[in-house]
Amino acid sequence: SDDGGGPRRPPLRVVETHCGDAQGASRLLPAPAVASYTACDFSPAMLARAQERLGDRAEVVNTDSASLPFENESFDRYVSNLGCCCAPDLDGKLREAHRVLADGGVAAMSMRIANGEGDTAFAVIDEALKGFGLPPGPDREGLRLGKDLPALKAKFEGVGFKSPVAWRTWITLPIHDEASFQDFAIAQLPVQKFLAGLGDGEKAEAVQALRAAGRKALDEGAIQIAVAAVVAKK
């Protein structure tokens, strides 16, 4: 019930896309306010890890966020944490979010801002490996749109969402030493693929460059990701 003793709100049907290994959901669930939780990702490997974390607390579904296998108005809340920057078809993702939400439902999404001000995570990785030939990352709309908040809100309004609220912020990562920064960098799939293509000697030099870059970033402050977040109602 609310603070005034009003009627109790029914538990919410929640869907998350680009759930990855479901670290967030595993910390949240079970929750009295959640009637059901559906965790979606396009990667079978990530979903396998999500299933291990979640067990029977949620349903996991292998699907593209731009083509969800759910009926209209199936959910009350739609969540996508750092998912918009991974979506090749951002318009399709937003249309599907709007479609599967019930009237009055709320969508909450965030996206990484490529080369965003204050980024000491991905920007540091790119700079450290640039001299070894790391190619530029994908030029996805979801990686750029967070720099233009009016355009971001207009994008949500364009598919039917109401009164979107958007802001920029940072996510501080729990990285406190150069070895942890190295592990974080190498865990990124593009970095893994790039390092795998280097010879042993050059690979060792590249890893040392990552460690040095991480040490320098930590000496100057925290390791953080520049992000934009948006909340909108159907």
Side-chain angles (χ1 to χ4, degrees):
S1 62
D2 61 23
D3 292 340
R8 183 180 298 276
R9 295 178 180 177
L12 302 168
R13 302 164 297 168
V14 182
V15 62
E16 179 181 5
T17 62
H18 288 97
C19 72
D21 60 4
Q23 289 192 44
S26 67
R27 295 188 180 101
L28 168 70
L29 300 172
V34 177
S36 65
Y37 200 102
T38 304
C40 306
D41 202 280
F42 63 91
S43 167
M46 281 295 186
L47 276 181
R49 294 168 65 182
Q51 184 68 77
E52 289 178 6
R53 286 182 182 276
L54 294 171
D56 61 0
R57 294 177 291 165
E59 178 184 7
V60 299
V61 179
N62 183 205
T63 185
D64 183 345
S65 64
S67 182
L68 297 174
F70 309 121
E71 297 293 330
N72 294 351
E73 303 188 0
S74 293
F75 302 98
D76 307 297
R77 297 291 185 268
Y78 178 106
V79 181
S80 187
N81 185 31
L82 297 180
C84 293
C85 46
C86 301
D89 180 8
L90 183 57
D91 287 325
K93 178 184 177 78
L94 298 184
R95 283 194 297 269
E96 281 293 88
H98 188 270
R99 180 184 67 79
V100 301
L101 275 173
D103 286 344
V106 176
M109 306 189 203
S110 64
M111 62 205 71
R112 181 168 73 85
I113 304 173
N115 299 313
E117 181 182 358
D119 186 300
T120 54
F122 292 95
V124 171
I125 294 171
D126 291 346
E127 185 63 28
L129 297 181
K130 183 170 61 175
F132 296 90
L134 179 71
D139 185 28
R140 294 196 187 106
E141 183 182 21
L143 284 165
R144 293 181 276 104
L145 195 56
K147 294 181 179 180
D148 187 344
L149 296 184
L152 175 58
K153 291 188 286 187
K155 178 74 71 173
F156 274 73
E157 290 171 335
V159 300
F161 282 106
K162 303 171 185 174
S163 304
V165 177
W167 65 96
R168 283 187 289 268
T169 187
W170 297 270
I171 296 174
T172 300
L173 302 178
I175 294 174
H176 306 294
D177 56 56
E178 60 195 66
S180 297
F181 181 80
Q182 173 190 319
D183 292 343
F184 164 74
I186 294 177
Q188 308 308 311
L189 187 57
V191 175
Q192 288 181 26
K193 291 181 177 178
F194 172 70
L195 292 177
L198 299 179
D200 290 344
E202 193 173 22
K203 180 178 178 180
E205 291 180 12
V207 170
Q208 285 303 312
L210 284 171
R211 290 176 68 93
R215 185 187 318 120
K216 182 175 184 294
L218 285 166
D219 286 344
E220 296 173 352
I223 302 298
Q224 59 188 22
I225 302 172
V227 301
V230 60
V231 175
K233 190 172 182 179
K234 179 173 177 179

